[in-house]
Amino acid sequence: QVQLVESGGGLVQAGDSLRLSCAASRRTFITYAMGWFRQAPGKEREFVAAISRSGGTTDYADSVKGRFIISRDNAKNTVYLQMNSLKPEDTAVYYCAAGQTTGWRKPYEYDFWGQGTQVTVSS
């Protein structure tokens, strides 16, 4: 079992930046690919970004490519999401997830989830 705890959400204005963190409970963190998803009210949970176990490979949704950066520190069992040039449409609850399958763009490909952190971007 891996427990994930997100932090760093908040209320910001359009154009601002935020950095989300997700701390994992186990040293087996390094055996998991990590992903960030988000869910806005009335919408399905959607893929935002993912990073491989070593951190050498990353993937982004088109909607955030060039603005968001995912990274991980395996020594600290933590994955980050640096969010720049935020837009009102980025408003959502952001979740981190850990998985060991080969895919990473679908929620079902992840085994463990955090409780989520709210990001609200005002115009």
Side-chain angles (χ1 to χ4, degrees), residues 1-4 6 22 24-26 28 31-35 37 45 95-100 107-115:
Q1 191 80 1
V2 177
Q3 292 183 326
L4 303 172
E6 301 98 334
C22 172
S25 61
R26 295 179 67 95
T28 53
T31 67
Y32 291 88
M34 299 297 297
F37 287 74
R45 192 168 297 191
Y95 299 89
C96 71
Q100 294 184 314
Y108 65 77
E109 292 168 318
Y110 292 84
D111 303 307
F112 304 105
W113 292 82
Q115 82 290 349

Side-chain angles (χ1 to χ4, degrees), residues 5-23:
V5 179
E6 301 98 334
S7 61
L11 172 63
V12 297
Q13 293 187 331
D16 286 350
S17 297
L18 273 178
R19 189 176 81 154
L20 304 183
S21 299
C22 172

Side-chain angles (χ1 to χ4, degrees), residues 81-102:
L81 186 68
Q82 177 68 42
M83 304 187 296
N84 302 318
S85 302
L86 282 162
K87 304 175 181 180
E89 51 263 44
D90 294 320
T91 295
V93 177
Y94 283 71
Y95 299 89
C96 71
Q100 294 184 314
T101 63
T102 55

Side-chain angles (χ1 to χ4, degrees), residues 41-112:
K43 294 189 176 181
E44 293 187 352
R45 192 168 297 191
E46 65 172 358
F47 171 76
V48 175
I51 189 166
S52 63
R53 287 170 285 187
S54 68
T57 302
T58 58
D59 187 21
Y60 297 93
D62 288 344
S63 59
V64 306
K65 197 173 295 183
R67 298 189 298 122
F68 290 11
I69 301 171
I70 187 171
S71 61
R72 67 190 294 164
D73 186 337
N74 287 338
K76 295 182 178 179
N77 294 345
T78 302
V79 62
Y80 305 97
L81 186 68
Q82 177 68 42
M83 304 187 296
N84 302 318
S85 302
L86 282 162
K87 304 175 181 180
E89 51 263 44
D90 294 320
T91 295
V93 177
Y94 283 71
Y95 299 89
C96 71
Q100 294 184 314
T101 63
T102 55
W104 58 22
R105 282 189 165 230
K106 301 296 185 181
Y108 65 77
E109 292 168 318
Y110 292 84
D111 303 307
F112 304 105

